[in-house]
Amino acid sequence: MNTAQEDSDLYLRRIPWWYWAVFFGVMATAIYLLGPVLTPFLISFGLAYLLHPFVDRLEQWRVSRTFGVSLVFALSILVLALAILLLIPSLQVQISRLETLLPKANIWLQQDVLPWISARIGMDVTRLDAGRVTQLLQENFPQAGSVATNVVSYVTSSGMKLAATLANLFLVPIVTFYMMRDWHEMLESVGNLVPRPLLPAFTDLAHEADEVLAAFLRGQLLVMIALGSIYAIGFWIAGVEFAMLIGIFAGLVSFVPYLGVAMALLSAMITAAITGAEPLVYAYILVVVGIGQALEGSVITPLLVGDRIGLHPVIVIFLVLAGGQLFGFVGVLVALPVGAVLSVFFRHLQEFYKRSDLYGKSSPHSNAPD
């Protein structure tokens, strides 16, 4: 009697290769052509995926699905509004203060850094026009400090852009609400479309992809928030200027292993050097970064993420750059979640390939490991 795995392999072998080529070609073309239209739906799907477990928990407590969705939705909007009200003003103040630091940064670069580099490499690099770089930064920093104004002016420059933006802003909460409410029905509908011989393999693949995606979207997001908070609070206690900016930046790039801690250390050290901080501040910076690294490796990442993502740092960097190149900012946002799911798909594809006649059977006298 054939097992479910054997039935699935048999069914897949009967499908001509060009069926798959046409299917994935049509899917890729549709995604490319409908990219702008799909953006609010992708955002809604991500939000629904993040929030539906809370609705499921409320439903277990005998709260109606619709009321549970409304409650979770309202609380999420409240948390987002509070975060914006608390963070945006402080960030604007720090960005404005950072603009005034640029002349000091230029002096530090010209008088300390470039002569030190020249002495080490035996080449005169003190003639680099750092002043021009500083001037360009000073000219553009007022724009960086008023991001909201720039966004509004860009959107209102075209009636169509304004209409599309308003439509998306109106569409995202509505689509998110219905996706959260009908989440299990949507999954059941997708499952009903799967050919019956492939259903066991598809179910295993979906469960594994769900674990990986949950580890990234929920776990990695919490890791980024935790590390950003540790660095921001720690540097603020240590007396480092722009502690919030450094902490947020280090937290955002911490999805690449060791990049977050490296950026936190370098940014804090350079800021301390430019602002003429006391020698003890450098020691405090090392302590804060050491605590953050220790907590990340032994507590935060194992507890919140675990080893379920399994993406190499080089692949992570490639996915982010490729997503940005192909689909812009939205591509950067979805690159890692999609890559994490694709890693599960390719792992199963590799197993199927090794079971196929194309790969061949191992020789009984082979010494190759299993």
Side-chain angles (χ1 to χ4, degrees), residues 57-256:
R57 180 62 59 89
L58 291 174
E59 201 171 18
Q60 291 175 0
W61 295 343
R62 298 185 178 180
V63 176
S64 70
R65 185 82 184 177
T66 302
F67 181 75
V69 170
S70 303
L71 182 61
V72 171
F73 203 75
L75 290 175
S76 301
I77 294 177
L78 179 62
V79 170
L80 180 62
L82 288 175
I84 292 175
L85 291 175
L86 292 175
L87 291 178
I88 296 301
S90 300
L91 285 176
Q92 286 182 334
V93 170
Q94 293 206 356
I95 291 174
S96 299
R97 289 173 56 194
L98 187 58
E99 182 186 359
T100 64
L101 187 68
L102 290 176
K104 293 183 179 179
N106 182 35
I107 295 173
W108 174 72
L109 183 64
Q110 295 283 3
Q111 296 182 355
D112 297 327
V113 178
L114 295 182
W116 183 86
I117 294 175
S118 299
R120 293 299 182 277
I121 66 176
M123 183 183 301
D124 186 14
V125 295
T126 57
R127 296 181 180 180
L128 292 176
D129 192 4
R132 176 57 181 163
V133 176
T134 304
Q135 181 182 352
L136 290 173
L137 290 174
Q138 286 178 311
E139 291 174 355
N140 288 279
F141 249 99
Q143 300 176 7
S146 56
V147 176
T149 304
N150 294 331
V151 171
V152 171
S153 62
Y154 170 77
V155 169
T156 55
S157 63
S158 169
M160 290 299 295
K161 291 177 183 177
L162 176 61
T165 302
L166 292 177
N168 288 341
L169 289 176
F170 183 71
L171 191 62
V172 167
I174 295 176
V175 175
T176 303
F177 179 89
Y178 283 110
M179 281 188 173
M180 290 168 60
R181 194 192 66 175
D182 303 328
W183 183 262
H184 298 291
E185 288 79 2
M186 289 190 304
L187 295 183
E188 185 178 354
S189 299
V190 173
N192 290 334
L193 296 175
V194 178
R196 297 302 92 178
L198 293 180
L199 187 59
F202 178 84
T203 302
D204 292 341
L205 181 65
H207 286 162
E208 190 173 347
D210 178 61
E211 290 183 0
V212 171
L213 193 58
F216 178 81
L217 286 180
R218 301 189 188 105
Q220 192 63 46
L221 181 62
L222 292 175
V223 168
M224 293 164 65
I225 294 174
L227 288 177
S229 301
I230 290 172
Y231 292 135
I233 295 172
F235 291 150
W236 175 71
I237 294 174
V240 179
E241 289 280 347
F242 315 111
M244 181 180 290
L245 277 177
I246 296 173
I248 291 176
F249 181 65
L252 287 175
V253 300
S254 62
F255 59 85
V256 180

Side-chain angles (χ1 to χ4, degrees), residues 294-308:
L295 289 176
E296 178 189 8
S298 60
V299 179
I300 298 174
T301 300
L303 180 65
L304 299 178
V305 179
D307 300 323
R308 289 170 289 181

Side-chain angles (χ1 to χ4, degrees), residues 301-356:
T301 300
L303 180 65
L304 299 178
V305 179
D307 300 323
R308 289 170 289 181
I309 296 181
L311 292 179
H312 193 276
V314 175
I315 296 178
V316 169
I317 297 172
F318 171 78
L319 287 173
V320 172
L321 295 178
Q325 177 67 28
L326 293 174
F327 302 106
F329 180 68
V330 175
V332 173
L333 292 179
V334 303
L336 290 182
V338 171
V341 174
L342 287 179
S343 69
V344 176
F345 172 79
F346 283 120
R347 187 160 57 247
H348 282 263
L349 187 62
Q350 182 184 34
E351 294 173 359
F352 173 74
Y353 165 68
K354 289 185 176 181
R355 294 192 303 267
S356 68

Side-chain angles (χ1 to χ4, degrees), residues 242-289:
F242 315 111
M244 181 180 290
L245 277 177
I246 296 173
I248 291 176
F249 181 65
L252 287 175
V253 300
S254 62
F255 59 85
V256 180
Y258 306 111
L259 182 59
V261 63
M263 296 309 299
L265 179 61
L266 288 175
S267 301
M269 286 291 188
I270 291 174
T271 301
I274 294 174
T275 56
E278 297 293 329
L280 192 58
V281 173
Y282 296 93
Y284 288 153
I285 292 172
L286 293 175
V287 171
V288 171
V289 172

